[in-house]
């Protein structure tokens, strides 16, 4: 989770970048989630917003599409 992360801030991304971030988030430990948006939050980190479960609600993916954290 980026040190300067503030929930609700960032830039919505779409297209290929969003699809790759979603694919990484769901391929890790969260295969049954539904991601409704991807937000670029800082340092090239993407937050994938998981709406199907109580936890994790936010899955963080690097610019290289590797999961680095969730809460």
């Amino acid at each position: 989770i980026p040190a300067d992360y503030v929930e609700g801030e960032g830039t919505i991304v779409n297209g290929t970048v969003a699809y790759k971030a979603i694919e990484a988030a769901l391929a890790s430990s969260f295969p049954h989630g539904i991601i409704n948006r991807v937000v670029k939050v800082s340092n090239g980190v993407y937050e994938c917003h998981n709406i199907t479960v109580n936890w994790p609600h936010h899955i963080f993916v690097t610019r290289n599409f590797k999961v680095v954290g969730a809460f």
Side-chain angles (χ1 to χ4, degrees), residues 1-69:
I1 301 171
D4 60 348
Y5 173 70
V6 177
E7 190 171 344
E9 291 187 5
T11 304
I12 300 284
V13 296
N14 55 34
T16 303
V17 170
Y19 287 119
K20 287 182 178 183
I22 291 168
E23 184 177 63
L26 297 179
S28 63
S29 299
F30 319 106
H32 303 294
I34 294 175
I35 307 296
N36 72 333
R37 69 179 172 268
V38 177
V39 179
K40 186 174 183 179
V41 291
S42 68
N43 299 327
V45 174
Y46 300 100
E47 171 203 347
C48 297
H49 190 248
N50 186 357
I51 63 170
T52 56
V53 295
N54 291 330
W55 188 92
H57 193 60
H58 305 277
I59 304 166
F60 294 91
V61 178
T62 68
R63 71 184 99 195
N64 296 320
F65 306 107
K66 297 191 189 295
V67 174
V68 291

